[in-house]
Amino acid sequence: MATETDRTPRPLEAPRVGVRGEATIECEPELARISVTVRSRGTDRRHTLDDLTRRNTQALDLIKGYGEAVEKLETGTIGLTPELRDKGRDRGEKIRAYHGVVRIGATLTDFTALGELATRLADLELTSVDGPWWSLRPQSPVYREARQQAVRDAVQRGREYAEALGSTLTALIELADDGVHQAAPYQQQAFAMSARAGGYSVDTASPPSLDLEPERQNVHAQVTAHFTMTPPVLT
């Protein structure tokens, strides 16, 4: 049996529209990271380790010499690995040589100094350089601008859909962040310079520096928004 409440007309829900807002900002990078690999090789374990320590210190001192241009300097993996001889007819394991390696990461904010530092590092004994990898700071204002542009785009799209129906937006029901990410337009590595076999001498003329063009970055933001709108005019 129907009650009085069941017979009461229910108000019609306001029409809704759901849209996606997007924004892409192209900008200059703020950081450049390079990877430096320092190696040593010898038949004596202690001598190989001493060479590795000396070359590592030389590379670190060179990087630190650029002062505030270097925002971050960190040592990654360190290793000293024996190379075994082929056993052949001999019994037991014999070591042919030792291989030492240290990997250093450096993040720079001064791109003018980047090319010079990279070539000077690559000119060191048994040292190689890879990079640069361009990026923005995690708290870069570009991310905020991209998010705000995506929201404005969602509002504009919602209005356009409502206007097509002879309606106007009345309220925001929900706004969801679908994410902000940074992506380079294409992957590019400006240099990968290998170590030279000879020793490094401070009297040797400095190698010519690389002229690097920073790779522009793309920051993309996306949101999903739901609005209510006035009843559409469908005639």
Side-chain angles (χ1 to χ4, degrees), residues 27-212:
C27 58
E28 294 290 338
E30 298 170 345
L31 303 173
R33 186 180 184 278
I34 59 174
S35 176
V36 183
T37 304
V38 180
R39 294 182 174 85
S40 65
R41 185 179 186 277
T43 56
D44 181 78
R45 181 178 180 275
R46 181 58 184 270
H47 184 265
T48 304
L49 184 59
D50 288 344
D51 280 348
L52 184 65
T53 301
R54 173 179 58 83
R55 292 166 187 166
N56 178 63
T57 300
Q58 193 174 29
L60 289 175
D61 289 345
L62 178 56
I63 297 172
K64 292 176 182 178
Y66 282 80
E68 295 182 354
V70 180
E71 182 171 284
K72 188 177 182 181
L73 178 61
E74 54 191 356
T75 299
T77 58
I78 303 174
L80 185 65
T81 306
E83 178 187 346
L84 301 179
R85 293 180 182 273
D86 295 333
K87 290 183 179 180
R89 297 180 179 179
D90 296 332
R91 295 182 178 180
E93 295 181 342
K94 294 185 178 181
I95 296 175
R96 172 183 296 179
Y98 291 91
H99 297 270
V101 62
V102 176
R103 291 184 173 85
I104 304 168
T107 303
L108 285 80
T109 57
D110 184 352
F111 302 154
T112 304
L114 177 62
E116 177 184 310
L117 174 60
T119 52
R120 291 182 66 188
L121 284 168
D123 197 47
L124 297 178
E125 184 181 5
L126 291 180
T127 302
S128 59
V129 185
D130 294 281
W133 295 276
W134 311 96
S135 65
L136 298 173
R137 298 179 186 277
Q139 302 302 323
S140 173
V142 178
Y143 294 115
R144 179 181 62 187
E145 177 61 25
R147 287 190 290 264
Q148 292 178 344
Q149 286 190 20
V151 172
R152 289 192 289 267
D153 181 60
V155 174
Q156 181 62 31
R157 290 188 183 190
R159 285 174 176 166
E160 291 173 356
Y161 282 119
E163 290 173 0
L165 295 170
S167 304
T168 58
L169 299 183
T170 56
L172 173 67
I173 301 173
E174 182 183 46
L175 179 66
D177 183 4
D178 295 334
V180 179
H181 68 271
Q182 174 191 347
Y186 49 86
Q187 296 297 322
Q188 179 182 7
Q189 184 167 295
F191 51 74
M193 297 180 287
S194 301
R196 62 191 183 92
Y200 176 80
S201 172
V202 294
D203 296 329
T204 304
S206 298
S209 61
L210 288 171
D211 185 11
L212 302 178

